[in-house]
Amino acid sequence: MFDVIGDIHGHGDRLEALLKKLGYQLRQGAWRHPERTLISVGDLIDRGPQQRKTVDIIRAMQDAGQAQVILGNHELNAVAWTLSDGNGGFLRAHNANHTRQHAAFLAEAEQDKAWYASTLAWFRSLPVYLDLPALRVVHACWHAPSKAIIDAHSDAQAVLTEAAWIAANSKGHALYDAIEVMNKGWEVSLPPGYSFVDKGDHRRFAIRTQWWRTDTQHYRDLALGVEPLETLPDGPIEAGKLPGYDQHKPLFIGHYWMRGRPQLQSPQIACVDWSVADPSGDGVLAAYRFDGEQQLSNDKFVWV
């Protein structure tokens, strides 16, 4: 069946160690398993020390039919970094914050222009999500209305059309909003008078949420990346403001920099991003070994 692997962020050595632990072997230029296929939730790049190595490993596996790969927000941003906004700039602004976030990838990619161009073209060929018979995979949030918008701008494999890339990176377009949800997560606007300052020193008027939780509707319980939580309302989010999940199939996500020992988010939802790129060194690169079960199990996580 499938091994669903989390955000790698340029940690190629850790990727090789995990593949070995999962029983893959390097043969004929690609890591292979006699019975299993790797699925990557995206975010192959940025932050880590081995950007090109990571991309080359996963791409070779896909080329050999040993892996399926979806688009992470960092791959999306890497393409937008190169696309003109029509006003002399780029769809991903080359400001100090974005440059810092993308520096590790650019440092390697720009040493080989042909490899860089080929890699960007490959990123553009990746689907936004997978909806397979036994499971679903999306980088951040499964949301049927957003999926319908993406489908209208994609081919049958959920790969954005060439014409869609500008809209996907243009604020105010419905496709931009849909990509934001599925690729970057579900946000809830704060009530009037409330805001917080994020780690990048930007004032925010909406919170990114643990949208999968059903045990609470409280702002402070569901917020991600807000410190201190006391800056948020001490009460529940208005009914209907969270997307929910239809539970039709197990769902695998990345993106969220989970901490601690890998574990499920619900019996049918597993985040496989466990902060391998955390500067503290406390994060792990994780995978979930999926064998068709409808109820997921914490025992199926493997990590290095």
Side-chain angles (χ1 to χ4, degrees), residues 242-298:
L242 294 168
Y245 182 60
D246 62 21
Q247 309 292 327
H248 288 171
K249 303 174 187 178
L251 173 67
F252 294 90
I253 57 176
H255 189 60
Y256 290 104
W257 285 65
M258 296 296 180
R259 300 294 198 275
R261 183 185 179 91
Q263 60 184 316
L264 301 175
Q265 280 51 66
S266 82
Q268 280 202 306
I269 301 176
C271 180
V272 288
D273 178 14
W274 289 82
S275 305
V276 67
D278 193 322
S280 72
D282 293 335
V284 300
L285 182 60
Y288 184 97
R289 309 213 82 172
F290 180 74
D291 294 294
E293 64 271 19
Q294 286 302 297
Q295 296 291 308
L296 304 178
S297 170
N298 285 326

Side-chain angles (χ1 to χ4, degrees), residues 68 74 101 114 149 292:
Q68 297 188 58
H74 282 260
Q101 293 172 354
I149 294 169

Side-chain angles (χ1 to χ4, degrees), residues 1-292:
M1 289 295 287
F2 298 107
D3 296 315
V4 188
I5 190 171
D7 306 31
I8 306 166
H9 284 304
H11 286 266
D13 289 348
R14 203 81 82 91
L15 172 59
E16 286 187 328
L18 182 56
L19 289 171
K20 290 176 183 177
K21 191 170 185 178
L22 291 168
Y24 291 75
Q25 295 181 334
L26 182 59
R27 293 185 289 109
Q28 297 176 313
W31 289 86
R32 302 169 188 267
H33 194 286
E35 300 173 343
R36 308 185 69 84
T37 299
L38 196 78
I39 295 179
S40 166
V41 301
D43 276 10
L44 307 178
I45 64 167
D46 295 331
R47 299 194 172 101
Q50 294 128 357
Q51 302 287 311
R52 181 166 181 169
K53 180 177 183 178
T54 299
V55 170
D56 287 350
I57 289 172
I58 297 295
R59 188 174 181 183
M61 291 183 72
Q62 186 198 63
D63 289 346
Q66 300 296 307
Q68 297 188 58
V69 189
I70 67 167
L71 190 70
N73 61 295
H74 282 260
E75 288 76 49
L76 180 87
N77 290 344
V79 174
W81 179 267
T82 68
L83 296 179
S84 171
D85 64 1
N87 297 306
F90 297 89
L91 290 174
R92 178 78 170 166
H94 292 193
N95 58 37
N97 187 46
H98 293 167
T99 300
R100 176 184 56 79
Q101 293 172 354
H102 203 36
F105 178 70
L106 292 175
E108 288 196 57
E110 291 181 342
Q111 294 180 38
D112 187 335
K113 299 295 186 181
W115 181 88
Y116 186 19
S118 176
T119 298
L120 289 173
W122 181 57
F123 289 168
R124 292 174 76 140
S125 76
L126 300 178
V128 179
Y129 65 85
L130 295 175
D131 193 357
L132 304 179
L135 76 161
R136 292 167 171 163
V137 184
V138 72
H139 190 65
C141 178
W142 191 270
H143 183 237
S146 295
K147 175 182 174 294
I149 294 169
I150 290 168
D151 288 346
H153 294 84
S154 305
D155 66 15
Q157 285 71 49
V159 176
L160 292 174
T161 65
E162 286 298 310
W165 275 89
I166 302 298
N169 290 281
S170 298
K171 289 183 179 181
H173 196 285
L175 181 59
Y176 175 91
D177 294 335
I179 291 288
E180 285 285 300
V181 169
M182 293 188 70
N183 200 250
K184 299 183 181 180
W186 188 266
E187 291 194 348
V188 172
S189 296
L190 293 169
Y194 285 94
S195 65
F196 68 96
V197 177
D198 68 14
K199 292 180 180 179
D201 205 31
H202 299 104
R203 184 159 297 279
R204 302 292 186 183
F205 298 90
I207 57 169
R208 188 152 289 167
T209 63
Q210 300 175 68
W211 58 269
W212 52 84
R213 290 182 62 176
T214 58
D215 60 318
T216 178
Q217 299 289 299
H218 200 286
Y219 280 98
R220 296 182 185 180
D221 292 335
L222 295 178
L224 286 162
V226 179
E227 294 179 3
L229 286 171
E230 288 72 25
T231 59
L232 301 181
D234 186 11
I237 294 172
E238 184 181 344
K241 294 293 186 180
L242 294 168
Y245 182 60
D246 62 21
Q247 309 292 327
H248 288 171
K249 303 174 187 178
L251 173 67
F252 294 90
I253 57 176
H255 189 60
Y256 290 104
W257 285 65
M258 296 296 180
R259 300 294 198 275
R261 183 185 179 91
Q263 60 184 316
L264 301 175
Q265 280 51 66
S266 82
Q268 280 202 306
I269 301 176
C271 180
V272 288
D273 178 14
W274 289 82
S275 305
V276 67
D278 193 322
S280 72
D282 293 335
V284 300
L285 182 60
Y288 184 97
R289 309 213 82 172
F290 180 74
D291 294 294

